[in-house]
Amino acid sequence: MFGFSLEAGAVLLRKAVAAFIMTGCFNGEMFISNDDVTLAATTFPIPMFQIPSLLVSLRLRPLIGEDLYCTEGLLWLALSFRDFYNNLSLYEDDDDFFGIYGSADLRRIRFVLVNNRTERFWDQQMDLFTIDRGRMIAPEFHYVYNVVVGIPSGIFGSLIMNLSRFGMTVSALVTETQVTFTVGNVKIVLRKELEECIIGGAVGENPVSLVFHIHYSNTMLRSSFLSKRVWLLGQSNGSSVMLNCPVGTLGNLMFYVG
Ligand SMILES: *[C@@H]1O[C@H](CO)[C@@H](O)[C@H](O)[C@H]1NC(C)=O
Ligand SMILES: *[C@@H]1O[C@H](CO)[C@@H](O)[C@H](O)[C@H]1NC(C)=O
Ligand SMILES: *[C@@H]1O[C@H](CO)[C@@H](O)[C@H](O)[C@H]1NC(C)=O
Ligand SMILES: *[C@@H]1O[C@H](CO)[C@@H](O)[C@H](O)[C@H]1NC(C)=O
């Protein structure tokens, strides 16, 4: 069995779960431990348009940490993110309590909502998929990133929109002082000294090249506005790239884009 409560965080969670819906990830997985709750799903690749699959992952931690419990160590559930999103929409700003409970045995999640003033009380259930449908995806959460670029959300938004007019594959050359984003012949430079970006990690004499795609630019853009700043993480050998959008105090929304 597991449970945690969210209150106002339910609004943030709904906005974050919208990223799954916008990318067409209507079904996905939820991993629950005593420390965190992770939602994950991958999009289907669309070979005709050369669109690769995208792994989206939402890790909830700080806000739910206080009363999160999971009696089974680590729990894995498969569910409809569309139903999950719709049930989160029950929460309204002046409600006093919003709790999510469930168990793998009962194959059900319960949403409990209480409003003391209006005496509104909801106890909604949604069914989980049966375990024997097997794992829908096996997300790889264990990359080690050693290069990080922080970009204010406003700048990131206009960067992504400007670049996406010229192509979907971005190459970012990271040095200690600046990041040069290139799509085709178009270059956009963000400079550290102008506070257009923060650069950290294993960036030394040799520039690091990060290559990633922006096929889901609208979702990336909307998700970036859940926080003041987003983080582009990469490896100094350029292997994999992840966009990390903090979701207020709720957790992090991650897009594995390269
Ligand atoms: C709402 O009522 C419950 C049960 O009576 C109580 O535990 C809780 O503290 C109340 N919450 C608020 C915000 O008044
Ligand atoms: C909650 O999810 C269930 C699906 O299991 C659905 O039948 C129900 O309508 C949802 N509730 C709301 C308010 O959307
Ligand atoms: C995007 O393009 C607009 C209009 O040309 C420009 O004002 C803005 O500075 C550009 N943003 C970035 C991050 O390059
Ligand atoms: C790149 O570096 C990461 C660790 O930083 C390592 O796990 C990975 O295997 C490396 N990839 C290649 C192609 O060298």
Side-chain angles (χ1 to χ4, degrees):
M1 294 204 300
F2 73 90
F4 58 91
S5 67
L6 281 162
E7 281 79 59
V11 175
L12 267 183
L13 179 57
R14 185 171 67 218
K15 287 181 180 168
V17 172
F20 291 99
I21 311 298
M22 282 191 285
T23 51
C25 295
F26 300 126
N27 298 327
E29 305 177 19
M30 188 149 112
F31 304 85
I32 303 150
S33 74
N34 272 311
D35 300 319
D36 57 34
V37 175
T38 303
L39 281 74
T42 37
T43 65
F44 289 106
I46 311 172
M48 209 199 330
F49 299 109
Q50 288 161 355
I51 302 180
S53 78
L54 172 76
L55 168 59
V56 184
S57 161
L58 172 64
R59 189 163 184 223
L60 312 177
R61 209 151 54 147
L63 203 63
I64 63 167
E66 275 167 41
D67 70 348
L68 171 67
Y69 68 87
C70 176
T71 57
E72 276 137 299
L74 180 70
L75 206 56
W76 171 74
L77 311 173
L79 66 150
S80 156
F81 282 170
R82 218 192 308 225
D83 288 343
F84 190 71
Y85 178 85
N86 287 338
N87 275 283
L88 287 173
S89 307
L90 290 171
Y91 181 85
E92 285 169 16
D93 283 339
D94 67 340
D95 289 332
D96 296 302
F97 178 83
F98 190 81
I100 299 180
Y101 304 91
S103 77
D105 308 342
L106 295 173
R107 297 217 294 267
R108 218 176 272 148
I109 297 184
R110 281 176 60 209
F111 298 86
V112 177
L113 184 150
V114 182
N115 187 311
N116 290 1
R117 284 176 302 282
T118 62
E119 295 184 358
R120 194 162 89 102
F121 175 80
W122 275 95
D123 188 346
Q124 283 265 330
Q125 301 197 344
M126 72 172 266
D127 293 333
L128 298 169
F129 296 142
T130 51
I131 297 293
D132 56 36
R133 272 180 68 152
R135 266 174 185 265
M136 290 187 289
I137 56 161
E140 180 52 81
F141 296 123
H142 305 295
Y143 296 122
V144 177
Y145 297 100
N146 51 12
V147 176
V148 58
V149 178
I151 306 172
S153 297
I155 294 179
F156 178 79
S158 88
L159 173 79
I160 291 294
M161 285 299 110
N162 291 0
L163 291 175
S164 64
R165 281 188 269 138
F166 303 99
M168 291 295 143
T169 304
V170 181
S171 148
L173 207 60
V174 186
T175 68
E176 280 177 327
T177 55
Q178 64 179 47
V179 187
T180 308
F181 295 89
T182 309
V183 172
N185 298 324
V186 177
K187 282 194 200 308
I188 297 176
V189 181
L190 299 186
R191 290 187 177 78
K192 198 161 121 179
E193 61 176 10
L194 300 180
E195 292 180 8
E196 293 167 331
C197 64
I198 297 170
I199 297 165
V203 183
E205 304 270 293
N206 300 318
V208 174
S209 167
L210 308 178
V211 178
F212 59 98
H213 72 83
I214 49 171
H215 280 290
Y216 294 89
S217 52
N218 279 324
T219 307
M220 288 159 80
L221 179 72
R222 283 183 56 168
S223 305
S224 71
F225 284 108
L226 295 173
S227 194
K228 288 199 183 91
R229 194 185 296 278
V230 299
W231 303 92
L232 207 52
L233 288 98
Q235 299 180 324
S236 48
N237 59 18
S239 292
S240 46
V241 180
M242 183 243 273
L243 174 70
N244 188 330
C245 303
V247 184
T249 50
L250 185 69
N252 297 76
L253 185 56
M254 290 160 285
F255 300 92
Y256 293 80
V257 286

